[in-house]
Amino acid sequence: TAKGAPLTNQVLTDTTWELGLYLTGVPDRDPSNDLYGSKSNVSVRDRQLGLGVSLPNEPTAKIQIQLLEDGSVAICGSATDSDDEECQVDEVCSTDVPGQWKLSDDGKTVRIGIPMRGYRRTITTTGTIQNVFWSQGEAATSKTSSTYSIPEGFVYGDISVGYGDEPGKLIMMDEKSTSPSTGMSVIPGGLLRVEKKNGLLGASSTLVPCGRFSGRMTCTN
């Protein structure tokens, strides 16, 4: 839990963080039209992520960032030695494009803009169509797949920040799961959103959820 006074830009400047990105993507079509939707554990369902979207149990990618004085974010590299292709920062983030960061006026929330290379995943779900009472034979099984993606560009993450228990330590806060018995006792506290164009020729845009993230401070300024 966070302690004490709100944070300031000065306190956050030059701090480095390890971020775990739990990417879900944005459904390419309305998931409510799917026959079965994405079957997920209740513990990892998230009302903010939308209908049928389930949160990965492990981070899709881990990155290290540094918050710089001018409001930019240096993408420092991968925070994992994993050989898993999904965990290589170059696969997910643009290291040659700086990110952005901004502290809220009340000093309790930080927004981080992360340059993404683009992300896509396909989820296949299987369901059974029950026989109606007059039909013969086995119940039919059907598969349906849903595609979730994040276009190349900036993904914006908002997370609550504060002082930790140790002097000089800052924290990004996670949320407790409402169903700890089903697996995840803590849900990543940051919400990731991506800009989605709407209307004629993309005349307007909204920020839509595309995942969650957690953060851990790795050194002080």
Side-chain angles (χ1 to χ4, degrees):
T1 55
K3 308 283 184 184
L7 300 189
T8 63
N9 287 323
Q10 185 177 7
V11 168
L12 279 168
T13 294
D14 291 332
T15 56
T16 61
W17 299 81
E18 177 184 290
L19 302 185
L21 308 181
Y22 297 75
L23 303 179
T24 59
V26 178
D28 288 354
R29 59 193 174 91
D30 186 352
S32 62
N33 294 333
D34 284 355
L35 194 54
Y36 305 107
S38 176
K39 293 188 174 170
S40 63
N41 216 321
V42 174
S43 66
V44 293
R45 278 192 193 148
D46 191 314
R47 277 177 293 184
Q48 287 183 296
L49 293 178
L51 180 68
V53 179
S54 60
L55 199 67
N57 286 313
E58 299 294 331
T60 312
K62 291 182 180 180
I63 62 173
Q64 281 189 332
I65 64 167
Q66 184 175 23
L67 307 181
L68 302 179
E69 187 177 6
D70 62 357
S72 64
V73 172
I75 309 294
C76 303
S78 176
T80 178
D81 296 325
S82 170
D83 293 329
D84 185 350
E85 190 174 291
E86 281 194 321
C87 287
Q88 298 305 308
V89 70
D90 290 343
E91 295 290 327
V92 178
C93 297
S94 300
T95 52
D96 51 349
V97 177
Q100 306 162 356
W101 73 278
K102 183 177 176 62
L103 183 65
S104 62
D105 291 340
D106 63 6
K108 295 180 179 179
T109 304
V110 68
R111 171 169 289 187
I112 301 170
I114 304 167
M116 301 286 288
R117 292 192 183 278
Y119 170 78
R120 189 177 185 87
R121 69 175 184 154
T122 301
I123 295 177
T124 302
T125 51
T126 303
T128 301
I129 302 172
Q130 296 297 326
N131 281 337
V132 288
F133 68 90
W134 63 82
S135 63
Q136 301 295 318
E138 297 294 318
T141 299
S142 175
K143 285 187 178 180
T144 182
S145 63
S146 307
T147 303
Y148 297 80
S149 59
I150 298 173
E152 186 170 357
F154 274 92
V155 165
Y156 298 95
D158 294 305
I159 194 165
S160 298
V161 289
Y163 291 98
D165 293 325
E166 301 168 26
K169 185 174 182 180
L170 309 178
I171 58 171
M172 292 184 178
M173 282 168 268
D174 289 328
E175 298 176 7
K176 287 186 177 178
S177 171
T178 53
S179 308
S181 60
T182 48
M184 293 180 83
S185 58
V186 174
I187 294 175
L191 183 65
L192 292 170
R193 292 184 292 180
V194 65
E195 194 173 40
K196 188 174 184 179
K197 302 288 186 185
N198 303 311
L200 186 64
L201 303 177
S204 63
S205 63
T206 54
L207 286 174
V208 294
C210 63
R212 282 191 166 274
F213 75 101
S214 60
R216 181 178 63 86
M217 190 180 186
T218 54
C219 73
T220 57
N221 56 348

